[in-house]
Amino acid sequence: DVKVTQSSRYLVKRTGEKVFLECVQDMDHENMFWYRQDPGLGLRLIYFSYDVKMKEKGDIPEGYSVSREKKERFSLILESASTNQTSMYLCASSPRTERRSNYGYTFGSGTRLTVV
Amino acid sequence: DAKTTQPNSMESNEEEPVHLPCNHSTISGTDYIHWYRQLPSQGPEYVIHGLTSNVNNRMASLAIAEDRKSSTLILHRATLRDAAVYYCILRDPLDSNYQLIWGAGTKLIIKP
């Protein structure tokens, strides 16, 4: 019954590595989101996408990029990982608001990334 | 999006009802009230949403004040599995900004 799948539950990467976090949803949702969650700071939006090949910056896009080549897949890329990117990363999806008058976000289980 | 205010934490006994309050005094006429919860080491999950009328589903009930400036999430019989952080969020479905604005939420502690 899992609807938003994040490729890894735990990751450990070295400083300077290029890191790919993958997210796949099977609900035919148009919108997809990447958040990071840190203690005391709550959920902060990194990037979102409202259509294939479309992307918008969220509140904290610096140091990240995204890719959405297919509707069901939204990838978060850390171009050169740094220790301050150690965090819990959460992917979410939702239907487009114009198509459904109200909607809920569906989240993945998260990827806990540690950069050493 | 309008802001919400929730208590930082609440405690309740197992198998008793829990009432989680949320204030949203600047709510607009088109804002829906959404509740999500986040269990430990999990992503947030949708709980319930409403506009004006009280709403019930299998997880919870949502009671909305007549002036819509506050709402209450009701867990009718809390279990240990309901221990989580509960978020109250306002969302205008006509808003082209797709973001949800997440506050700190209420940490619900269930005592056995």
Side-chain angles (χ1 to χ4, degrees):
Chain A
D1 192 40
V2 175
K3 295 182 175 134
V4 176
T5 304
Q6 294 185 229
S7 53
S8 303
R9 195 82 170 91
Y10 297 95
L11 271 181
V12 180
K13 295 292 182 181
R14 296 195 179 277
T15 301
E17 275 194 79
K18 190 169 186 176
V19 181
F20 293 85
L21 301 182
E22 305 287 344
C23 176
V24 177
Q25 52 98 0
D26 64 0
M27 295 166 289
D28 199 36
H29 284 171
E30 289 83 6
N31 304 330
M32 296 189 75
F33 308 82
W34 274 106
Y35 287 88
R36 65 177 282 178
Q37 186 173 30
D38 301 287
L41 296 177
L43 279 85
R44 294 181 292 168
L45 183 66
I46 305 171
Y47 268 97
F48 66 98
S49 168
Y50 52 89
D51 205 345
V52 176
K53 297 192 186 295
M54 304 302 290
K55 60 184 179 185
E56 294 283 345
K57 293 180 180 179
D59 298 321
I60 51 165
E62 297 77 20
Y64 303 95
S65 63
V66 290
S67 172
R68 188 142 181 228
E69 296 297 317
K70 294 184 178 181
K71 188 176 186 180
E72 66 270 19
R73 186 179 296 272
F74 192 35
S75 303
L76 180 70
I77 303 152
L78 285 66
E79 298 291 344
S80 177
S82 63
T83 54
N84 63 13
Q85 292 178 309
T86 292
S87 185
M88 168 71 89
Y89 289 87
L90 291 160
C91 175
S93 71
S94 75
R96 181 171 295 158
T97 53
E98 302 89 68
R99 184 157 66 92
R100 303 180 199 184
S101 63
N102 212 333
Y103 65 94
Y105 280 35
T106 302
F107 280 83
S109 298
T111 296
R112 188 164 293 281
L113 173 67
T114 302
V115 182
V116 297
Chain B
D1 292 289
K3 298 272 194 228
T4 62
T5 304
Q6 300 176 254
N8 289 333
S9 65
M10 291 183 63
E11 285 190 3
S12 181
N13 294 319
E14 195 176 12
E15 299 188 4
E16 290 185 357
V18 179
H19 290 235
L20 295 162
C22 181
N23 288 319
H24 27 79
S25 58
T26 59
I27 190 170
S28 74
T30 50
D31 280 332
Y32 280 73
I33 302 158
H34 288 249
W35 284 83
Y36 286 78
R37 74 178 186 180
Q38 187 172 19
L39 302 168
S41 301
Q42 296 291 323
E45 64 174 336
Y46 166 83
V47 177
I48 200 167
H49 74 275
L51 182 62
T52 56
S53 304
N54 294 345
V55 184
N56 300 297
N57 66 21
R58 62 175 180 82
M59 291 180 71
S61 296
L62 176 60
I64 301 171
E66 195 169 337
D67 64 5
R68 302 211 323 126
K69 294 184 185 298
S70 65
S71 61
T72 302
L73 180 71
I74 301 165
L75 307 178
H76 294 285
R77 194 165 168 269
T79 70
L80 295 177
R81 288 175 294 180
D82 291 319
V85 178
Y86 287 78
Y87 298 94
C88 169
I89 300 166
L90 302 183
R91 185 68 176 92
D92 183 348
L94 301 179
D95 187 349
S96 60
N97 181 341
Y98 295 99
Q99 294 190 47
L100 291 179
I101 308 299
W102 297 81
T106 297
K107 183 175 183 179
L108 177 63
I109 299 164
I110 304 296
K111 295 180 288 184

